[in-house]
């Protein structure tokens, strides 16, 4: 593979924080808000939507499954395309798909049309995941990368809070027939507004370098330096230039980076399996066990989202202060212990608030660690692959754990604990064998 000698990546990392970085992070980080908003809002308005369109129970469940299926497709396809054609083209295309799929769901008059639009919206979000995190890792200066990527992951909880509040307001203030339609229309409009901002976000200079386009990368960095007040580094490094196919990219990931991929995949499995399992067990299994009413569920989920938002913000800063390894080990271990603390059957609401503060913050260090360890020429594709693995487990694990709860609810909690044990052991092995990425450039890590 050809190596390109350049000073561009060091100049990117040396830039002081500016308004550009803030705008860039918000414009791309909105993805997590939209993803959570979509999942939670659909759950909240699924019943009136099902009544309005005469869904069978199976068809109603496919409104959620269709979105997840689309996300799997989008993660694979658009992850590779983001490495082939660039981050900017893809994070505009994928947001457009999501916004149109969500907006037009509000006009659905049949199951078939609604399901198709759910798949389209899911494909957009799945592609967003790969393109967005790749661009963030490649643009944000290394000394800030952990906290920025972690804060963006924490925005998932903000999206779920907004979705809960929006659902409560819509179902209270409007007729049910209109409420679910307004929910999708609002989600689509929010995404379209974000699209306007993204048009002005530049292409990733690191991706341009990986394709041998030095002059374009140079112009982007020079413009950023002009706005920042000058040049802040004269160091150079070597960047690989890649022109291979999807087969070549897959071969590199599963040969040269196979152990990193296993670590990344285990992070995605832990995050999504524990999250989807818990938000399924709370309304389906736990009311009978812990003695709260189904009417209490929205409030419990809302407090959990707030706990995750606060915890995720804290963990985002910890990963740049303590390091990824120490933070990941601490958070995964505490999450495991808090999961086991539910078994004696004490105050569920209080324990869940503590659990969410810790467990829902894990993504703010785990996703950072899982995504920054690949070179730019295969990063988006690798992220797409780990997203597929995680979403597949997130799709299957709630069904398995709810089935186990019919034997004894403790088995479902032990199932959640098993996924936390996987995350802890994976971080433990990574702490021994892996690289500590705190403060290091992407090139030094990869």
């Amino acid at each position: 593979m050809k190596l390109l000698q350049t000073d561009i990546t060091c100049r990117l990392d040396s830039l002081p924080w500016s308004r550009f970085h803030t705008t860039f992070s918000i414009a791309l980080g909105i993805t997590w808000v939209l993803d959570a908003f979509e999942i939670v809002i659909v759950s909240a308005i699924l019943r009136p939507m099902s009544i309005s369109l005469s869904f069978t129970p199976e068809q109603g469940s496919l409104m959620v499954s269709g979105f997840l299926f689309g996300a799997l497709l989008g993660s694979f396809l658009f992850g590779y395309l983001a490495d082939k054609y660039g981050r900017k083209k893809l994070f505009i295309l994928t947001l457009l798909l999501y916004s149109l799929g969500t907006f037009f769901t509000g006009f659905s008059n049949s199951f078939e049309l609604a399901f198709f639009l759910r798949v389209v919206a899911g494909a957009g979000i799945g592609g967003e995941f790969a393109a967005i995190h790749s661009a963030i890792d490649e643009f944000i200066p290394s000394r800030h990368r952990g906290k920025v990527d972690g804060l963006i992951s924490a925005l998932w909880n903000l999206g779920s809070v907004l979705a809960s509040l929006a659902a409560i307001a819509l179902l209270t203030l409007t007729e049910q027939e209109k409420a679910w339609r307004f929910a999708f229309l609002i989600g689509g409009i929010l995404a379209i507004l974000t699209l306007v901002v993204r048009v002005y976000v530049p292409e990733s200079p690191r991706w341009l370098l990986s394709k041998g386009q030095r002059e374009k990368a140079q112009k982007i960095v020079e413009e950023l330096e002009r706005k920042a007040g000058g040049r802040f580094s004269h160091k150079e490094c070597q960047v690989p230039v890649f022109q291979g196919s999807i087969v070549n990219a897959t071969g590199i990931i599963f040969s040269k980076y196979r152990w990193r991929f296993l670590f990344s995949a285990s992070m995605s499995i832990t995050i999504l399996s524990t999250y989807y399992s818990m938000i399924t067990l709370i309304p389906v299994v736990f009311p009978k066990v812990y003695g709260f009413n189904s009417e209490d569920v929205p409030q419990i989920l809302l407090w959990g989202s707030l706990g995750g938002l606060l915890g995720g913000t804290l963990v985002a800063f910890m990963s740049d202060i303590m390091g990824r390894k120490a933070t990941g080990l601490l958070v995964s271990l505490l999450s495991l212990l808090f999961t086991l603390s539910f078994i004696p059957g004490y105050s569920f609401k209080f324990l869940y608030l503590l659990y969410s503060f810790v467990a829902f913050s894990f993504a703010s260090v785990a996703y950072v660690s899982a995504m920054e360890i690949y070179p730019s020429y295969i990063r988006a594709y690798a992220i797409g692959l780990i997203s597929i693995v995680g979403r597949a487990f997130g799709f299957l694990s709630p069904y398995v754990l709810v089935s186990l709860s019919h034997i004894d609810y403790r088995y479902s909690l032990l199932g959640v604990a098993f996924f936390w044990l996987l995350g802890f052991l994976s971080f433990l092995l990574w702490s021994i064998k892996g690289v500590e990425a705190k403060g290091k450039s992407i090139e030094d890590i990869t």
Side-chain angles (χ1 to χ4, degrees):
M1 185 177 296
K2 178 183 176 182
L3 294 175
L4 187 67
Q5 190 76 17
T6 181
D7 59 5
I8 289 176
T9 56
C10 296
R11 289 161 65 184
L12 272 175
D13 281 335
S14 69
L15 286 170
W17 190 266
S18 66
R19 191 171 76 171
F20 163 78
H21 292 106
T22 302
T23 304
F24 173 84
S25 300
I26 293 173
L28 300 191
I30 197 71
T31 295
W32 276 103
V33 177
L34 295 174
D35 195 355
F37 189 91
E38 187 75 12
I39 293 294
V40 176
I41 201 74
V42 170
S43 298
I45 52 84
L46 185 56
R47 179 171 175 77
M49 183 183 185
S50 298
I51 294 173
S52 175
L53 298 182
S54 301
F55 289 166
T56 66
E58 291 76 17
Q59 288 175 329
S61 68
L62 286 173
M63 289 300 100
V64 177
S65 300
F67 183 79
L68 293 174
F69 176 70
L72 292 177
L73 295 177
S75 296
F76 176 77
L77 176 61
F78 294 122
Y80 171 71
L81 293 178
D83 281 336
K84 186 174 179 64
Y85 296 110
R87 313 313 190 204
K88 180 171 181 174
K89 291 185 179 69
L90 268 295
F91 61 58
I92 290 177
L93 173 61
T94 53
L95 185 59
L96 185 62
L97 277 177
Y98 166 78
S99 60
L100 294 178
T102 298
F103 183 81
F104 284 108
T105 301
F107 296 98
S108 298
N109 56 11
S110 67
F111 164 74
E112 291 76 15
L113 178 58
F115 178 75
F116 171 74
L117 291 170
R118 291 295 77 217
V119 174
V120 170
I125 282 293
E128 282 268 290
F129 187 82
I132 295 308
H133 279 284
S134 297
I136 289 168
D137 283 346
E138 292 162 8
F139 248 116
I140 299 300
S142 55
R143 63 191 180 280
H144 298 300
R145 189 176 62 247
K147 67 177 75 73
V148 171
D149 217 351
L151 284 170
I152 286 172
S153 295
L155 289 178
W156 170 279
N157 298 287
L158 176 60
S160 62
V161 169
L162 294 176
S164 299
L165 295 175
I168 292 171
L170 287 171
L171 292 171
T172 302
L173 300 175
T174 63
E175 299 174 7
Q176 289 196 357
E177 162 65 25
K178 296 180 180 179
W180 71 267
R181 295 185 184 275
F182 284 144
F184 287 115
L185 295 177
I186 291 171
I189 291 171
L190 289 175
I192 291 172
L193 292 175
T194 305
L195 186 65
V196 175
V197 180
R198 285 195 184 174
V199 172
Y200 299 98
V201 173
E203 181 58 87
S204 164
R206 280 186 162 97
W207 177 82
L208 290 169
L209 287 174
S210 74
K211 297 301 179 182
Q213 301 179 41
R214 187 200 299 260
E215 292 183 4
K216 291 182 179 180
Q218 179 85 9
K219 289 180 180 179
I220 293 172
V221 174
E222 286 176 350
E223 178 63 18
L224 294 178
E225 289 175 333
R226 184 187 67 78
K227 293 179 179 179
R231 179 169 174 168
F232 298 88
S233 174
H234 294 274
K235 295 180 180 179
E236 290 190 350
C237 64
Q238 291 183 326
V239 177
V241 177
F242 179 73
Q243 298 291 346
S245 66
I246 189 172
V247 175
N248 301 130
T250 304
I252 291 172
I253 292 172
F254 289 107
S255 57
K256 184 176 181 179
Y257 294 99
R258 63 182 179 276
W259 296 115
R260 295 190 179 200
F261 180 79
L262 288 174
F263 168 71
S264 300
S266 68
M267 293 297 99
S268 189
I269 291 170
T270 299
I271 292 166
L272 295 173
S273 295
T274 56
Y275 179 81
Y276 284 116
S277 294
M278 284 300 291
I279 66 171
T280 302
L281 290 169
I282 287 173
V284 174
V285 175
F286 292 161
K288 293 181 180 179
V289 174
Y290 296 104
F292 57 85
N293 299 319
S294 58
E295 290 79 9
D296 296 326
V297 171
Q299 184 182 26
I300 291 172
L301 294 177
L302 179 60
W303 281 108
S305 298
L306 289 171
L309 181 60
L310 294 174
T313 301
L314 175 62
V315 168
F317 284 90
M318 287 172 59
S319 69
D320 267 348
I321 298 172
M322 296 173 52
R324 319 294 198 244
K325 294 179 177 180
T327 304
L329 280 172
L330 176 63
V331 175
S332 57
L333 178 60
L334 288 176
S335 299
L336 171 61
L337 295 176
F338 275 123
T339 302
L340 295 174
S341 72
F342 287 116
I343 293 178
Y346 298 123
S347 174
F348 179 84
K349 294 180 181 179
F350 176 70
L351 287 175
Y352 184 66
L353 181 61
L354 295 178
Y355 172 86
S356 64
F357 182 81
V358 177
F360 292 168
S361 71
F362 185 62
S364 293
V365 63
Y367 272 140
V368 175
S369 303
M371 297 174 188
E372 64 188 356
I373 55 179
Y374 299 98
S376 296
Y377 63 88
I378 57 169
R379 177 173 292 108
Y381 181 48
I383 292 173
L385 291 178
I386 68 173
S387 177
I388 290 172
V389 175
R391 287 181 187 271
F393 273 82
F395 175 74
L396 294 171
S397 55
Y399 177 82
V400 173
L401 296 190
V402 169
S403 298
L404 287 174
S405 72
H406 295 319
I407 304 172
D408 191 316
Y409 81 95
R410 296 177 183 85
Y411 290 151
S412 63
L413 287 170
L414 289 175
V416 177
F418 167 79
F419 287 115
W420 281 120
L421 180 61
L422 171 65
F424 173 73
L425 293 177
S426 297
F427 244 116
L428 182 61
L429 291 174
W430 184 252
S431 297
I432 298 170
K433 297 290 186 179
V435 59
E436 174 54 71
K438 183 188 79 170
K440 292 183 179 179
S441 71
I442 292 293
E443 288 68 37
D444 289 339
I445 299 168
T446 58

